[in-house]
């Protein structure tokens, strides 16, 4: 099977390549990049005016399997990824049971291979049951394919245990991904602690709770030499702590999520529980800091924290609704609309933060569009204006505060290893 993608803006951030040209895909691999005059291909795509980029990589998704198939399965999560232009994802371990044993990890990876339209990688839990009391068998979990260790959704509070995990991660050269939240400071709130939380009678989630753990984990990384990846940074001072850590030479990377670079806590006034996410949407000043952090490289990666929940759960009052929103199918539109079109981030940097950089952090064999490599390719229509309609999501869940929002830019064609897994061209 030969596929010829003609006349697109071909971008490979790994080499800084950006040219209007053609891409030929044969037997699942990219066989040629450059103008092609006479080739007979079974499939010819006219990509005039479209971006042809490496398949996107999201290193922070919740596919809810095992345990919560009414929210999402690995198959539906992968469909959602493909529809968003993502060809590789890293699953978080807060499933039921949590991904804290080789057996559960192998279940996730095997199900991904057998049922998913995209490449499914997985993290493993740092502590059994994400309970923060006993370290998992990090050696065996790495052996079995875990690409990062994390208790995402929670922070391990016991410093002795965190220290041991960082030492082990340094020895294994596996990054630790940190969800940063001091549970002693953060109790019971649903929204950023501030004007809006007071107005809605919510106890609020203080920025300090996130920042204390960011600072702590940067120190652990500095002390042990471990690689640290800070997840979904939401506060201005959090961004600054990471910037300072990097300047000191600490091996710290970090991610910004589309909702954190687009929305403020005021969204809860109109979207209610749909705007409840952890860490919470903060203030305009924090949003600006997250954008500045993405622009200057302090925040290396754009990751969605795709977190499906049923409408029944999200229909509960603020205090009882679970945290999280789906994100895979709106990420490209939000990145272009909130960052690239307003001139805050170059197109090359945006694609880089969605491909080669996250791949490099997690050691994935993806994120590049180069001759000889597996053909994971995404086509983005940068001009396409569309209204987010959650009823059309491929995800099993519809929980998004972006429903009804007009975005410019959309993934329209996704190829995984030479197979087209999404097509709205
Ligand atoms: Zn998290």
């Amino acid at each position: 099977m030969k596929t010829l993608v003609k006349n697109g803006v071909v971008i490979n951030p790994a080499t800084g390549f950006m040219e209007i040209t053609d891409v030929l895909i044969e037997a699942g691999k990219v066989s040629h990049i450059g103008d092609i005059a006479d080739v007979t291909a079974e499939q010819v795509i006219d990509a005039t005016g479209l971006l042809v980029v490496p398949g996107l990589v999201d290193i922070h998704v919740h596919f809810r399997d095992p345990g919560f198939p009414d929210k999402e399965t690995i198959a539906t999560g992968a469909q959602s990824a493909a529809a968003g232009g993502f060809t590789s994802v890293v699953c978080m371990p807060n499933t039921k049971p949590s991904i804290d044993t080789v057996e559960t990890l192998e279940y996730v990876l095997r199900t991904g291979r057998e049922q998913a339209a995209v490449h499914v990688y997985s993290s493993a839990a740092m502590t059994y049951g994400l309970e923060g009391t006993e370290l998992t068998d990090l050696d065996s979990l790495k052996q079995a394919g875990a690409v990062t260790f994390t208790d995402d959704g929670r922070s391990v509070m016991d410093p002795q245990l965190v220290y041991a995990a960082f030492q082990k991660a340094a020895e294994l050269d596996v990054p630790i991904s940190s969800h940063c939240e001091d549970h002693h400071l953060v109790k019971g709130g649903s929204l950023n602690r501030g004007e809006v939380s007071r107005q809605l009678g919510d106890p609020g989630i203080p920025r300090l709770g996130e920042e204390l753990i960011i600072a702590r984990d940067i120190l652990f990384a500095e002390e042990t030499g471990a690689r640290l990846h800070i997840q979904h940074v939401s506060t201005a001072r959090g961004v600054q702590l990471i910037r300072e850590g990097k300047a000191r030479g600490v091996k710290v990377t970090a991610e910004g999520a589309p909702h954190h670079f687009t929305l403020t806590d005021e969204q809860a006034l109109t979207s209610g529980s749909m705007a409840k996410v952890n860490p919470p949407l903060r203030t305009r000043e924090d949003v600006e800091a997250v954008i500045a952090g993405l622009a200057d490289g302090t925040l290396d990666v754009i990751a969605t924290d795709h977190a499906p929940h049923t409408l029944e759960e999200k229909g509960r009052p603020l205090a009882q609704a679970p945290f999280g929103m789906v994100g895979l199918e709106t990420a490209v539109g939000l990145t272009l609309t909130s960052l690239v079109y307003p001139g805050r981030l170059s197109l090359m940097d945006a694609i880089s933060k969605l491909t080669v950089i996250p791949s490099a952090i997690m050691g994935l064999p993806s994120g590049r569009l180069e001759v000889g490599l597996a053909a994971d390719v995404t086509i983005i229509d940068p001009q396409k204006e569309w209204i987010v309609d959650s009823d059309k999501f491929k995800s099993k869940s519809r929980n998004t505060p972006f429903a009804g929002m007009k975005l410019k830019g959309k993934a329209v064609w996704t190829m995984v290893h030479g197979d087209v897994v999404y097509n709205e061209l």
Side-chain angles (χ1 to χ4, degrees):
M1 174 80 169
K2 274 189 199 177
T3 303
L4 178 60
V5 179
K6 282 207 65 77
N7 211 29
V9 179
V10 179
I11 301 176
N12 181 32
T15 58
F17 181 89
M18 175 148 55
E19 258 178 44
I20 295 176
T21 190
D22 307 330
V23 178
L24 184 66
I25 293 128
E26 289 178 87
K29 290 186 174 178
V30 175
S31 62
H32 185 86
I33 298 175
D35 295 355
I36 298 169
D38 52 335
V39 151
T40 35
E42 285 92 332
Q43 187 170 224
V44 179
I45 308 290
D46 178 8
T48 305
L50 308 179
L51 312 176
V52 181
V53 305
L56 308 181
V57 178
D58 188 353
I59 61 176
H60 193 150
V61 304
H62 299 269
F63 279 1
R64 308 300 190 199
D65 186 10
F68 308 98
D70 48 334
K71 296 175 194 262
E72 195 81 285
T73 65
I74 291 173
T76 60
Q79 290 296 336
S80 179
F86 291 90
T87 59
S88 295
V89 297
V90 175
C91 294
M92 292 297 117
N94 59 340
T95 49
K96 198 173 175 184
S98 54
I99 307 174
D100 57 5
T101 63
V102 167
E103 190 189 1
T104 307
L105 175 61
E106 283 178 343
Y107 164 79
V108 170
L109 297 176
R110 188 175 60 245
T111 306
R113 281 192 301 274
E114 289 171 358
Q115 297 178 19
V118 305
H119 304 292
V120 173
Y121 300 94
S122 187
S123 61
M126 247 164 79
T127 68
Y128 284 105
L130 310 182
E131 282 174 356
T133 49
E134 189 190 347
L135 281 193
T136 53
D137 184 350
L138 302 180
D139 288 277
S140 311
L141 289 163
K142 180 200 172 168
Q143 280 290 322
V147 297
T148 184
F149 303 129
T150 178
D151 272 9
D152 181 41
R154 307 182 57 81
S155 284
V156 180
M157 293 309 301
D158 177 354
Q160 199 68 42
L161 209 58
V162 179
Y163 193 23
F166 272 72
Q167 284 176 313
K168 193 71 193 171
E171 183 191 315
L172 296 173
D173 193 28
V174 172
I176 284 185
S177 296
S178 278
H179 167 111
C180 297
E181 180 178 5
D182 187 316
H183 299 291
H184 302 298
L185 263 189
V186 177
K187 270 190 189 133
S190 297
L191 305 172
N192 176 55
R193 185 174 291 170
E195 203 50 52
V196 175
S197 70
R198 272 191 291 280
Q199 207 175 315
L200 296 178
D202 178 70
I205 299 174
R207 292 180 184 78
L208 190 60
E210 180 175 347
E211 294 156 354
L212 281 174
I213 303 297
I214 292 177
R216 182 198 76 175
D217 284 0
I218 287 173
L219 291 178
F220 276 125
E222 188 166 31
E223 185 73 13
T224 60
R227 288 192 285 139
L228 166 64
H229 178 71
I230 307 277
Q231 301 179 305
H232 41 47
V233 182
S234 77
T235 82
R237 191 159 53 179
V239 174
Q240 182 58 19
L241 285 164
I242 295 161
R243 189 177 283 124
E244 288 162 8
K246 284 189 164 180
R248 283 207 308 281
V250 181
K251 288 184 247 170
V252 56
T253 56
E255 68 198 29
H259 46 274
H260 288 133
F261 62 65
T262 304
L263 301 176
T264 68
D265 54 358
E266 291 183 9
Q267 191 66 32
L269 297 172
T270 49
S271 300
S273 302
M274 286 295 188
K276 179 175 175 179
V277 63
N278 189 11
L281 304 173
R282 305 281 188 184
T283 63
R284 178 50 54 190
E285 184 200 344
D286 297 300
V287 171
E288 288 298 317
V290 167
I291 293 173
L294 286 163
D296 74 8
T298 301
L299 305 186
D300 308 76
V301 165
I302 294 169
T304 68
D305 191 10
H306 178 83
H309 292 293
T310 64
L311 287 178
E312 184 277 312
E313 293 167 304
K314 275 299 204 179
R316 296 173 194 161
L318 198 56
Q320 281 86 49
F323 289 101
M325 48 186 73
V326 290
L328 285 162
E329 292 169 69
T330 45
V332 165
L334 289 166
T335 297
L336 290 177
T337 305
S338 302
L339 301 177
V340 177
Y341 280 116
R344 305 298 299 269
L345 193 66
S346 72
L347 178 61
M348 183 65 87
D349 280 348
I351 301 300
S352 193
K353 287 175 189 297
L354 285 162
T355 56
V356 67
I357 300 178
S359 276
I361 291 169
M362 295 299 162
L364 311 182
S366 54
R368 293 164 167 261
L369 183 52
E370 291 170 22
V371 171
L373 297 183
D376 291 355
V377 185
T378 294
I379 299 180
I380 294 168
D381 182 345
Q383 301 295 334
K384 182 164 186 144
E385 299 195 43
W386 58 291
I387 308 248
V388 177
D389 178 356
S390 56
D391 287 338
K392 294 202 176 133
F393 284 167
K394 302 289 181 194
S395 170
K396 212 173 231 195
S397 289
R398 315 249 162 283
N399 53 309
T400 175
F402 295 109
M405 190 176 284
K406 188 176 175 189
L407 300 178
K408 188 174 178 185
K410 193 174 192 302
V412 290
W413 187 89
T414 309
M415 170 178 266
V416 175
H417 220 129
D419 294 326
V420 179
V421 293
Y422 182 72
N423 188 358
E424 63 169 84
L425 277 175

